[in-house]
Amino acid sequence: RVGVNPPTPSLEINGCGRETAMRDEIVFAAMIEPLRRPFKAKGLSLDWLDGKRCLDVGCGNGLYTVALSFLSSNLVIGVDFDRARIAQAKRRYKTIENLDFVVADVDQLPFCPSSFDFILCLRVLHHLKRREQAIAEMKRVLRSGGILHTGEML
């Protein structure tokens, strides 16, 4: 079980040294906080994520995807349509075993129905012309009883 604190090996993701480790812990704490809210609203803790398959839609550079990978011992996938950002995330986080990044469009996710227990989609929907299609596609790959959390800038 991984828990809400990143394991020590993760502190070497961005390099080595005490300052980098401290920065990584601060970044991790900042990434976790928005994840707590939807769980607290449902009467759950972040422990619910352990062992769950997670998807981060519109993952960009992968920071939230990495945070999810520390909370779940199962596979965590980040998707984004930007090939360069996915390539960068793959290189940067290649040592995290339960983490993967995939180039994909939110309108056509390359996953089987009911593939994920938790889907995170932060600051993405306001960029889309076909929001309803994107939400329908996320629901398609979400397992029954799973959680879909979206968040937008106001």
Side-chain angles (χ1 to χ4, degrees):
R1 165 118 168 73
V2 179
V4 295
N5 295 315
T8 303
S10 71
L11 300 178
E12 296 179 18
I13 290 171
N14 294 324
C16 57
R18 188 174 191 163
E19 288 178 17
T20 300
M22 288 173 57
R23 185 187 71 227
D24 285 351
E25 287 183 27
I26 291 168
V27 168
F28 177 77
M31 295 299 103
I32 292 300
E33 200 49 46
L35 299 176
R36 285 187 205 279
R37 285 182 231 127
F39 285 91
K40 188 174 182 181
K42 294 183 179 299
L44 300 170
S45 75
L46 289 175
D47 291 340
W48 181 88
L49 284 168
D50 189 36
K52 303 294 194 288
R53 286 180 53 114
C54 302
L55 178 66
D56 182 8
V57 175
C59 68
N61 62 12
L63 288 176
Y64 287 108
T65 320
V66 170
L68 285 170
S69 76
F70 293 141
L71 296 169
S72 176
S73 57
N74 205 330
L75 180 63
V76 176
I77 298 175
V79 298
D80 202 289
F81 74 97
D82 187 328
R83 291 182 184 282
R85 294 188 93 177
I86 291 294
Q88 178 186 27
K90 281 186 172 199
R91 280 190 308 273
R92 186 173 188 187
Y93 303 117
K94 65 184 173 190
T95 62
I96 302 175
E97 293 181 17
N98 67 324
L99 183 65
D100 195 12
F101 293 94
V102 175
V103 176
D105 190 326
V106 68
D107 290 347
Q108 292 181 304
L109 295 170
F111 307 109
C112 295
S114 303
S115 294
F116 298 95
D117 302 291
F118 179 72
I119 299 176
L120 180 67
C121 182
L122 293 180
R123 301 177 188 101
V124 173
L125 295 176
H126 68 276
H127 293 289
L128 305 176
K129 292 179 182 173
R130 300 181 343 173
R131 290 180 193 96
E132 295 80 16
Q133 173 63 29
I135 291 169
E137 187 64 359
M138 287 185 275
K139 287 181 177 179
R140 181 186 69 78
V141 300
L142 184 66
R143 287 188 181 143
S144 177
I147 297 173
L148 167 60
H149 177 64
T150 62
E152 295 299 315
M153 306 211 28
L154 300 177

